[in-house]
C-alpha cells in the first residue's frame, strides 16, 4: 500500500473545520475613480515600518492562499517552483512563473471623510510601493506617519488595465503641509491600537494541506462513480461543482491552462516522495 495516499484519503474524509466569513470591506480600502485623501497610520505591529510585504499563491485554490514563507516556514509550492527552475525546459519555467508566490503590500490608513470606519488596510503592488518608499526616503518630507506633524496623501484613481483585466490606477501625491492625524487624543489612541492584522485575515494552511492542494491542482482526481457530477451539455458546471475538463481524461493541457501535463505530476512525486 501507498501509506501517504492512504493518509491523504483519510484526511479528505475528516470533517473540515468551519471558518468565519470575513467582511473584507471592513478590513480593506479600495480606491475608486476620483480623488481621495488618506493618512498612513503608524503600524501597531511594527513601529519602525508601516508597510507589510505579503506573498500569496494565486490560481491554485479558491481565492488567494497565503504562502507559508510569510511565517518563515517551508512552503511546498515554493519548493516545487525551485525544482521547476532547475530544469532547462521552457514549459517548466513558465509553470514556475505562473504559480510562484506574488508579493502584495499593505499599509494601515485612515480615509478622510470616512474616519468613522476606523483604520483599514490599503493593499497595492510594486509600482505604488516604490513610489511611496521614494517619498519616505526623501528627507524633505520627514516621517509622514507622525501623528502630530505627518502628512496626508491625495490618491487619484483612474481607469487602467493590467494583464488583460480592468484595474484602478492610483496617482499618489503627498500634501505639502503637515497636519495632525487627529485633533482628538482619544481618537489617535484608538487608531493606533485597533488595526486589522494582515497575518490573521486569511487561513494559514499547513505544509501537508498546501501539498495536497498543489497535487490535486497538478493532477485532478477523476472518479467515475454514481456520486460523481456530470457536466451539462451546455458545458456549465453542475450543482456539485465539477468542471467539463474533469471529464476529459485524454486531453493534454499546457502550463498556461488549469491542468498541466502528467510529467509535472511526476516531478511533484519525485520532489516530495521523501516527505
Amino acid at each position: 500500500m501507498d501509506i501517504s495516499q492512504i493518509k491523504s484519503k483519510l484526511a479528505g474524509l475528516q470533517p473540515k473545520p468551519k471558518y468565519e466569513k470575513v467582511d473584507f470591506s471592513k478590513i480593506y480600502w479600495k480606491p475608486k475613480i476620483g480623488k481621495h485623501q488618506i493618512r498612513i497610520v503608524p503600524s501597531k505591529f511594527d513601529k519602525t515600518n508601516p508597510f507589510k510585504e505579503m506573498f500569496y499563491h494565486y490560481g491554485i485554490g479558491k481565492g488567494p492562499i497565503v504562502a507559508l514563507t510569510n511565517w518563515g516556514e517551508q512552503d511546498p509550492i515554493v519548493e516545487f517552483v525551485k525544482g521547476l527552475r532547475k530544469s532547462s525546459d521552457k514549459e517548466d519555467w513558465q509553470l514556475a512563473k505562473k504559480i510562484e508566490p506574488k508579493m502584495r503590500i499593505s499599509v494601515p490608513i485612515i480615509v478622510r471623510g470616512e474616519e468613522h470606519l476606523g483604520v483599514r488596510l490599503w493593499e497595492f503592488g510594486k509600482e505604488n510601493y516604490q513610489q511611496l518608499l521614494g517619498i519616505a526616503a526623501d528627507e524633505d518630507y520627514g516621517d509622514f506617519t507622525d501623528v502630530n506633524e505627518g502628512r496626508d496623501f491625495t490618491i487619484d484613481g483612474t481607469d487602467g488595465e493590467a494583464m488583460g483585466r480592468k484595474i484602478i490606477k492610483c496617482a499618489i501625491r503627498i500634501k505639502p503641509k503637515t497636519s495632525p492625524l487627529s485633533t482628538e487624543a482619544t481618537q489617535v489612541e484608538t487608531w493606533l491600537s485597533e488595526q486589522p492584522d494582515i497575518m490573521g485575515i486569511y487561513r494559514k494552511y499547513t505544509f501537508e494541506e498546501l501539498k495536497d492542494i498543489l497535487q490535486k491542482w497538478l493532477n485532478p482526481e477523476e472518479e467515475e462513480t454514481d456520486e460523481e457530477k456530470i457536466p451539462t451539455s451546455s458545458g456549465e458546471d453542475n450543482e456539485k461543482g465539477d468542471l467539463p475538463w474533469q471529464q476529459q481524461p485524454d486531453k493534454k493541457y499546457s502550463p498556461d491552462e488549469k491542468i498541466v501535463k502528467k510529467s509535472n505530476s511526476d516531478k511533484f512525486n519525485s520532489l516530495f516522495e521523501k516527505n
Side-chain angles (χ1 to χ4, degrees):
M1 290 191 299
D2 185 336
I3 301 301
S4 62
Q5 189 178 55
I6 295 297
K7 289 182 178 180
S8 178
K9 289 288 186 182
L10 177 61
L13 294 173
Q14 300 298 324
K16 299 186 185 308
K18 293 184 178 180
Y19 296 91
E20 292 185 9
K21 189 174 182 180
V22 178
D23 185 353
F24 289 103
S25 66
K26 295 181 179 180
I27 297 174
Y28 290 100
W29 172 72
K30 291 187 177 182
K32 299 178 181 178
I33 295 176
K35 287 182 170 57
H36 314 271
Q37 187 171 332
I38 69 166
R39 179 64 166 261
I40 296 179
V41 181
S43 172
K44 168 186 175 180
F45 307 97
D46 185 350
K47 306 297 184 184
T48 64
N49 185 5
F51 301 102
K52 178 65 176 178
E53 298 177 2
M54 291 287 288
F55 289 85
Y56 301 91
H57 300 295
Y58 293 97
I60 295 178
K62 293 181 178 179
I65 295 175
V66 184
L68 291 177
T69 51
N70 291 301
W71 288 273
E73 300 176 14
Q74 188 181 27
D75 185 303
I77 303 176
V78 173
E79 295 303 311
F80 186 62
V81 167
K82 290 179 181 177
L84 291 171
R85 292 199 184 282
K86 293 178 181 178
S87 167
S88 59
D89 191 319
K90 180 181 177 180
E91 289 189 348
D92 286 345
W93 278 76
Q94 289 175 334
L95 178 59
K97 184 177 181 180
K98 179 181 178 68
I99 68 174
E100 67 183 351
K102 308 298 189 298
M103 183 177 72
R104 298 287 292 170
I105 303 90
S106 65
V107 66
I109 66 165
I110 286 295
V111 180
R112 297 304 189 188
E114 299 179 1
E115 286 91 346
H116 61 285
L117 297 176
V119 175
R120 288 174 286 173
L121 299 177
W122 177 27
E123 189 175 75
F124 42 81
K126 185 178 179 181
E127 185 177 340
N128 286 338
Y129 189 32
Q130 288 178 317
Q131 188 174 354
L132 287 167
L133 287 180
I135 295 173
D138 191 332
E139 295 180 357
D140 289 340
Y141 293 116
D143 181 4
F144 51 67
T145 68
D146 188 278
V147 297
N148 297 311
E149 297 182 340
R151 299 172 191 261
D152 286 5
F153 286 88
T154 298
I155 309 299
D156 191 2
T158 58
D159 279 326
E161 187 172 315
M163 299 181 68
R165 62 185 181 88
K166 292 184 178 180
I167 63 169
I168 301 296
K169 294 193 68 174
C170 295
I172 302 172
R173 295 195 304 276
I174 190 169
K175 290 285 187 179
K177 294 183 179 180
T178 61
S179 62
L181 175 59
S182 174
T183 56
E184 299 180 16
T186 54
Q187 181 69 87
V188 172
E189 185 178 347
T190 298
W191 287 344
L192 295 179
S193 61
E194 297 180 6
Q195 299 180 8
D197 181 5
I198 187 68
M199 299 294 284
I201 294 174
Y202 296 98
R203 175 184 173 186
K204 180 185 177 184
Y205 289 92
T206 66
F207 182 94
E208 290 299 324
E209 285 174 331
L210 278 188
K211 191 170 79 170
D212 186 54
I213 290 171
L214 175 61
Q215 186 175 32
K216 289 179 178 178
W217 184 81
L218 289 169
N219 188 26
E221 295 179 353
E222 298 170 357
E223 300 180 8
E224 298 178 1
T225 68
D226 292 338
E227 296 179 357
E228 283 298 307
K229 296 73 63 180
I230 306 301
T232 64
S233 57
S234 63
E236 298 176 349
D237 301 351
N238 59 33
E239 71 178 39
K240 277 195 167 183
D242 270 1
L243 301 175
W245 48 258
Q246 287 178 305
Q247 305 297 327
Q248 301 173 9
D250 296 328
K251 183 175 180 181
K252 298 291 185 179
Y253 288 80
S254 72
D256 292 327
E257 296 181 81
K258 180 71 178 181
I259 303 177
V260 295
K261 295 185 298 185
K262 185 179 179 181
S263 58
N264 288 317
S265 182
D266 294 338
K267 293 185 182 74
F268 174 93
N269 293 330
S270 175
L271 180 63
F272 295 108
E273 62 184 0
K274 294 183 181 180
N275 294 333

